[in-house]
Amino acid sequence: MSPVPVAAASNSTASMASMAAEVTAQINRARTAAGLRPYKPWPAIAAIATDRSQRLEATHTLTHRAAGPSISTTLDSAGLQWYGWGEIIGVTSYPAGSQAVGNLFSLWDASPTHHPLMFSSTYNYVGVGFSTGPDGRTWSSIVFVESVDHTPPVACNGALRRTGTTLSFSWTGYDPILQTRTAGLRSFDVAYRVDSGAWRTIRAGTVSQAIVLAGRASGHVYGFRVRSRDRRGNLSAWTTEARIRVP
């Protein structure tokens, strides 16, 4: 596919972030179709990829050396844990946005050196950077990393029911599956409060998924929330409060 000349395009943070999200989605759709797990975006390496794409644009040179120091050195300097990494770079004269993303993706997908990085069975995280220069050309760096699981797990409220003055609350959760090194769900914390009072943790590190509280005082509203923890200690956010009144 031959590039076409275009006018200078915006290099705003929003437009570059939109392109990064779009190419990540394209890669992950293709990975899913191939039976692989989607890459998880990692903002810390997206910042590295963005810096590298800006260096490529500034120098107008499409080489990994022109993009900056070795990625292993950069990851170490940033204090980011890694087992392995890879990078693909590219430049296109297609208009910044979906056309540039589509052109670059098609070039990478057809490349015998770039395709294996997009379809790796080892890497689990990705960071994407774009930079569009005054001449309208868009430069990109995509950094792939195999790292420990630092993706938060998920917690979900289940049912909250009342029988007389007895309350029962249930919950579920899961740890998102990565291509490699998924930590796995470990436990839950459950918090409880009366009316709009202070939250109190009533179960910490439990593997149960339900609780029953009998003899609740009448005339109050009782709130419950839960969060999950994986085997690396990553915590989910607290769920939205579930509330029930004992009349």
Side-chain angles (χ1 to χ4, degrees):
M1 196 178 293
S2 300
V4 295
V6 295
S10 169
N11 198 22
S12 70
T13 300
S15 62
M16 297 301 103
S18 175
M19 291 171 65
E22 187 174 346
V23 78
T24 300
Q26 285 199 27
I27 292 171
N28 282 340
R29 282 195 296 270
R31 286 179 61 81
T32 300
L36 297 166
R37 293 285 177 182
Y39 287 132
K40 289 290 184 183
W42 187 358
I45 58 173
I48 292 172
T50 297
D51 178 73
R52 294 176 71 83
S53 70
Q54 291 170 349
R55 289 171 183 262
L56 293 174
E57 190 276 316
T59 60
H60 285 198
T61 305
L62 190 65
T63 67
H64 294 281
R65 177 172 293 183
S70 73
I71 292 175
S72 57
T73 298
T74 305
L75 292 169
D76 289 341
S77 297
L80 303 176
Q81 190 278 337
W82 60 277
Y83 295 104
W85 59 267
E87 181 186 34
I88 60 178
I89 55 177
V91 60
T92 179
S93 292
Y94 276 73
S98 295
Q99 290 187 55
V101 167
N103 178 238
L104 286 169
F105 178 82
S106 66
L107 294 173
W108 291 327
D109 193 36
S111 165
T113 55
H114 295 127
H115 183 278
L117 296 177
M118 294 196 298
F119 290 85
S120 168
S121 60
T122 303
Y123 301 132
N124 50 11
Y125 287 97
V126 67
V128 181
F130 281 101
S131 182
T132 298
D135 63 358
R137 289 194 294 172
T138 295
W139 303 74
S140 181
S141 162
I142 303 183
V143 178
F144 306 92
V145 174
E146 180 190 3
S147 180
V148 295
D149 186 349
H150 50 79
T151 300
V154 176
C156 307
N157 291 338
L160 175 57
R161 298 188 175 94
R162 179 184 64 83
T163 303
T165 60
T166 296
L167 305 180
S168 61
F169 176 57
S170 64
W171 57 88
T172 59
Y174 63 92
D175 195 24
I177 299 177
L178 307 176
Q179 180 62 42
T180 56
R181 301 189 182 274
T182 306
L185 194 64
R186 185 175 74 184
S187 62
F188 299 93
D189 299 330
V190 183
Y192 161 89
R193 70 176 177 176
V194 181
D195 297 322
S196 297
W199 285 103
R200 179 166 60 94
T201 299
I202 55 175
R203 294 289 187 275
T206 182
V207 296
S208 297
Q209 295 188 46
I211 191 171
V212 176
L213 300 179
R216 300 300 96 181
S218 298
H220 295 283
V221 174
Y222 297 88
F224 294 82
R225 64 183 186 179
V226 62
R227 67 181 179 183
S228 56
R229 179 182 291 102
D230 72 15
R231 297 184 184 279
R232 286 206 67 250
N234 297 309
L235 281 172
S236 75
W238 287 103
T239 57
T240 301
E241 180 181 10
R243 293 169 62 84
I244 194 167
R245 182 177 179 81
V246 176

